[in-house]
Amino acid sequence: MHSEHFRKFGLLPVLLILSIVQSYGQQRSNNYEKYIHKYKSVAIEQQKKYKIPASITLAQGLLESGAGTGRLAQEANNHFGIKCHEWSGKKIFHNDDALNECFRKYSDAHDSYEDHSLFLVGRDRYASLFRLSSTDYKNWAKGLQRCGYATDRAYANKLIKIIEDYELYQYDNVKFVRPSSDKSFPAWYKPHNVYVSNGLLYIIANQYDTFDLISNELGFSTRKLRKYNEIPKSYPLTKGDVVYLESKNSKVPKDADRFHTVDVGESMHTISQLHGIKVKNLYKMNNKKEDYIPQEGDILRLR
């Protein structure tokens, strides 16, 4: 009797913890969605003016400001954690890498977004980023980390995860080209070669490719192709992306490399595409939860 009572009672803290974790995750998601709804038009405006991907601007704002809940955002309208440097405007002091550091203070959030753009445009260290397409969020994220925007070795991967989790790439003004009803193709369209790796058939995406065009060419349904590649409906293909023509493996074959060392800008999805493994299996093999963000230098099991 006492033993049973203890088991029932002991279960309560576990359930309580799980409930708190779930509630926190839901609250975080709600905060992110509210932030995106509020500032997406500002990010799009900045892209039109300065050619910085709207998805990158939004992801940085979400990450740096805690979706607008952080002290700098609340008290100083500073959504990007930009420090004073040569700043002559209002200031706020905040503990960051060191105690009582000086940060810029703005009259409203729009000024913070504008200054963030000018901060990137006006520094030579970021010049290489502006040679990238304003829809190439992956290389923008990698470039920001490599140019020293943040000291966090997982910074690029965090940005990419936010962009893909919340489908922020849809704000980068990507123009999808859809085939006509008679399945004709645009003049620029190039037929694909089919390759085999890890026992799987795949193609390499060309510039301006869409799943509709590839489906029409190869005789697949668009829904199946997206399912094979674990990709949501509005996800834009990038030149060089691997597109599998069949369901991915649960692990790599025995003759393939057993481990993967994470590089800058990689997500669990891009790693799964590289090795032809289902995303859920990659998490499971490495005992990682869904909120895990791979960091440069991490080593992941592939089987």
Side-chain angles (χ1 to χ4, degrees):
M1 178 176 176
H2 292 293
S3 152
E4 186 176 346
H5 175 76
F6 176 78
R7 285 198 298 270
K8 289 180 179 178
F9 184 78
L11 187 62
L12 289 176
V14 176
L15 295 175
L16 181 60
I17 291 169
L18 289 174
S19 175
I20 291 171
V21 169
Q22 186 178 19
S23 176
Y24 173 78
Q26 184 62 47
Q27 181 61 44
R28 179 179 180 274
S29 179
N30 290 342
N31 287 341
Y32 270 46
E33 288 168 3
K34 288 177 182 177
Y35 187 96
I36 292 163
H37 180 74
K38 187 172 184 178
Y39 294 112
K40 64 185 179 183
S41 60
V42 183
I44 292 169
E45 173 195 330
Q46 295 300 305
Q47 176 175 325
K48 289 179 179 177
K49 289 175 69 174
Y50 300 107
K51 309 302 180 186
I52 302 167
S55 60
I56 286 289
T57 301
L58 275 173
Q60 285 192 281
L62 284 161
L63 184 60
E64 302 288 348
S65 74
T69 64
R71 177 173 178 255
L72 290 176
Q74 292 282 316
E75 298 182 21
N77 287 308
N78 187 332
H79 286 244
F80 300 92
I82 298 180
K83 296 179 182 178
C84 287
H85 302 292
E86 304 87 14
W87 182 248
S88 58
K90 293 182 179 180
K91 305 169 183 177
I92 185 173
F93 295 89
H94 180 72
N95 296 337
D96 191 51
D97 295 327
L99 295 176
N100 212 31
E101 289 191 273
C102 183
F103 288 83
R104 301 182 181 191
K105 187 174 184 178
Y106 307 97
S107 58
D108 57 44
H110 187 279
D111 288 348
S112 177
Y113 271 73
E114 178 77 12
D115 194 46
H116 168 261
S117 298
L118 295 174
F119 183 87
L120 295 178
V121 170
R123 283 165 171 74
D124 291 341
R125 68 195 297 184
Y126 301 116
S128 62
L129 298 178
F130 292 90
R131 293 194 286 271
L132 299 171
S133 166
S134 58
T135 62
D136 190 0
Y137 68 87
K138 292 178 182 176
N139 280 317
W140 263 87
K142 296 175 190 178
L144 283 167
Q145 181 171 327
R146 287 172 175 152
C147 292
Y149 188 93
T151 56
D152 183 356
R153 290 191 302 147
Y155 188 74
N157 298 1
K158 288 178 180 179
L159 293 181
I160 291 170
K161 181 170 173 56
I162 290 171
I163 290 169
E164 295 182 348
D165 282 355
Y166 291 92
E167 300 182 19
L168 301 184
Y169 41 72
Q170 66 184 294
Y171 304 120
D172 291 342
N173 299 327
V174 177
K175 294 181 180 178
F176 295 97
V177 182
R178 298 190 178 276
S180 62
S181 57
D182 64 356
K183 297 189 177 182
S184 60
F185 297 95
W188 52 259
Y189 190 81
K190 296 180 181 179
H192 298 84
N193 294 318
V194 179
Y195 306 96
V196 179
S197 179
N198 291 330
L200 299 173
L201 298 172
Y202 71 95
I203 63 164
I204 301 296
N206 298 319
Q207 190 172 11
Y208 309 122
D209 263 349
T210 70
F211 277 96
D212 283 342
L213 287 171
I214 294 170
S215 298
N216 285 348
E217 177 197 348
L218 299 176
F220 285 85
S221 78
T222 304
R223 184 184 64 80
K224 280 188 177 180
L225 273 188
R226 292 189 181 281
K227 184 178 180 181
Y228 293 155
N229 292 275
E230 301 177 281
I231 285 173
K233 188 174 181 179
S234 58
Y235 183 87
L237 282 173
T238 303
K239 183 179 180 181
D241 281 350
V242 172
V243 179
Y244 289 102
L245 307 181
E246 55 187 314
S247 184
K248 289 184 287 185
N249 298 319
S250 58
K251 58 185 177 181
V252 296
K254 290 182 179 179
D255 58 348
D257 291 336
R258 290 186 60 193
F259 300 98
H260 175 89
T261 301
V262 177
D263 197 1
V264 175
E266 289 189 319
S267 66
M268 293 295 270
H269 181 263
T270 58
I271 295 167
S272 80
Q273 289 292 100
L274 179 64
H275 297 285
I277 305 171
K278 294 176 182 176
V279 175
K280 66 178 182 180
N281 291 82
L282 190 57
Y283 278 106
K284 185 177 180 179
M285 278 187 289
N286 290 278
N287 296 316
K288 301 295 185 184
K289 297 180 180 179
E290 289 189 3
D291 59 354
Y292 163 71
I293 299 173
Q295 180 173 289
E296 181 186 8
D298 284 356
I299 297 176
L300 298 176
R301 293 173 56 90
L302 302 176
R303 59 181 171 89

